[in-house]
Amino acid sequence: QVQLVESGGGSVQSGESLRLSCRASRTTATWGCMAWFRQVPGNGREGVAAIDNAGNTAVATALKDRFTIFHDKVKNTVDLQMNTLKPEDTAMYYCAAEYGSSYCPAILLQTEYNTWGQGTRVAVSS
């Protein structure tokens, strides 16, 4: 079974940037699509960005100007670049992937994904 490990979270000031990375425990496993979600305590999980294995991406409308998802083929990770962070971006960020199909579209739907990481915390102070 593949495990996903997130890294790159931390505490930053408003306006700063962070880059989150998601690494799979088995690099030989092929994912159909991957995504980042985030969750604030007391709220449901929110889709942030997704990517399919052809490189097509989808980013939540409210975050398009600041967040980018990409597949770093050198590091073999799926990264989330977050710029101009705001206090409302404070959340636990989770990486998710779909293993088992040769392809799945980049969509921000939790039920699309069957493998989840433990999360990495992002805290943005004003």
Side-chain angles (χ1 to χ4, degrees), residues 25-48:
S25 59
R26 284 172 46 205
T27 57
T28 54
T30 301
W31 45 268
C33 51
M34 293 188 77
W36 285 91
F37 290 81
R38 68 185 185 183
Q39 188 170 22
V40 175
N43 290 0
R45 204 164 284 188
E46 172 191 17
V48 175

Side-chain angles (χ1 to χ4, degrees), residues 37-109:
F37 290 81
R38 68 185 185 183
Q39 188 170 22
V40 175
N43 290 0
R45 204 164 284 188
E46 172 191 17
V48 175
I51 185 168
D52 65 20
N53 58 20
N56 300 300
T57 63
V59 180
T61 301
L63 303 175
K64 278 184 177 178
D65 292 340
R66 301 186 293 119
F67 288 20
T68 305
I69 186 171
F70 59 97
H71 181 198
D72 188 324
K73 295 184 179 180
V74 174
K75 298 190 318 178
N76 201 17
T77 59
V78 171
D79 290 3
L80 181 69
Q81 178 66 42
M82 306 186 295
N83 297 327
T84 319
L85 284 162
K86 303 177 180 180
E88 51 263 42
D89 295 318
T90 295
M92 186 71 79
Y93 284 72
Y94 297 92
C95 174
E98 196 285 331
Y99 287 96
S101 64
S102 59
Y103 172 81
C104 54
I107 59 174
L108 300 177
L109 186 64

